[in-house]
Amino acid sequence: MKQFVEKNKKIFYFDSKERYSPYDFGNTLLDLLEINSYKNKTIVFLCIGSDRATGDCLGPLLGYKLSHLPAKNYVVYGTLEDPVHAKNLKETVTRIYAENNNPFIIAIDASLGKASHVGYYTLGEGPLKPGAGVDKDLPYVGDLFVTGIVNLSGLFDQMLLQTTRLGTVMTLVDYICQGITHCMYLMRSRLMEKSNP
């Protein structure tokens, strides 16, 4: 795990080639949730992206997997059946606040980056700016953010999203899902310990 500080916000990088990185991710996610006082809030995973481009389907694929896990203590927006993308993002954020009591939003999206960072996934404090890699003007969303770096950034970024390897995306989806599952397990365990001293 690598850690960077950008504008007083911490960003953590996890390598999908490292077998135990989902556990590091899950532990770090729980730490950030506790620092940001998540208790008495509804945890919402806002999985952003489209299922029409390989490089942009990380969000819907992850949302699909998270929504099918048993014993969920969170809410998911953005799945393969009902994706959240540029055309309905603002409307979805409005729905999140209308449908959930005091939501704590973790925004998740695919991203482009340096060639050496392809295959990494990140976790950071503060909101996410979706569509920034492909020059879309969308609102900042989220209290925390997660990104999966699916391809390198450069000329013709929209074309890069169309030609991204599905294997890279699926590996990132699996690792992020494992990390979130680990975090939720730890969260439930701590709550049970406190209720049964």
Side-chain angles (χ1 to χ4, degrees):
M1 175 179 65
K2 298 177 184 175
Q3 178 183 336
F4 297 93
V5 176
E6 191 175 287
K7 297 180 183 173
N8 298 325
K9 299 286 185 184
K10 292 178 184 172
I11 301 176
F12 301 87
Y13 283 73
F14 305 88
D15 188 349
S16 64
K17 292 185 182 74
E18 292 179 9
R19 191 171 154 196
Y20 295 104
S21 65
Y23 301 103
D24 291 335
F25 175 92
N27 294 336
T28 307
L29 177 56
L30 184 56
D31 289 344
L32 289 178
L33 284 167
E34 289 181 340
I35 288 167
N36 287 277
S37 305
Y38 75 93
K39 290 175 182 138
N40 303 317
K41 296 181 180 178
T42 304
I43 296 175
V44 175
F45 290 102
L46 175 57
C47 302
I48 302 163
S50 167
D51 59 347
R52 294 174 182 266
T54 311
D56 201 28
C57 68
L58 181 139
L61 284 168
L62 182 61
Y64 172 83
K65 288 189 82 163
L66 290 174
S67 66
H68 285 81
L69 290 175
K72 299 189 300 281
N73 49 345
Y74 53 82
V75 180
V76 178
Y77 288 81
T79 63
L80 289 171
E81 299 86 0
D82 190 14
V84 175
H85 43 67
K87 291 182 180 174
N88 66 0
L89 178 63
K90 290 179 185 175
E91 168 198 322
T92 303
V93 172
T94 302
R95 271 181 53 216
I96 289 171
Y97 282 97
E99 295 173 356
N100 300 280
N101 181 37
N102 201 10
F104 186 93
I105 300 173
I106 302 169
I108 303 171
D109 198 5
S111 71
L112 302 172
K114 295 190 288 189
S116 59
H117 283 163
V118 173
Y120 277 73
Y121 50 115
T122 72
L123 171 60
E125 295 178 308
L128 173 73
K129 178 80 166 127
V134 288
D135 294 326
K136 288 186 180 172
D137 186 25
L138 298 172
Y140 283 90
V141 289
D143 300 289
L144 298 177
F145 68 83
V146 176
T147 66
I149 303 171
V150 297
N151 212 330
L152 56 99
S153 180
L155 294 173
F156 309 113
D157 287 343
Q158 195 67 46
M159 182 72 78
L160 288 169
L161 285 177
Q162 297 286 348
T163 58
T164 295
R165 293 190 64 241
L166 185 58
T168 302
V169 175
M170 286 305 299
T171 299
L172 288 165
V173 167
D174 288 343
Y175 272 57
I176 295 168
C177 188
Q178 286 174 37
I180 290 171
T181 304
H182 177 63
C183 173
M184 296 300 136
Y185 170 78
L186 292 175
M187 193 182 292
R188 284 192 297 271
S189 299
R190 290 185 188 181
L191 286 171
M192 287 173 65
E193 284 171 13
K194 286 178 182 174
S195 61
N196 300 307

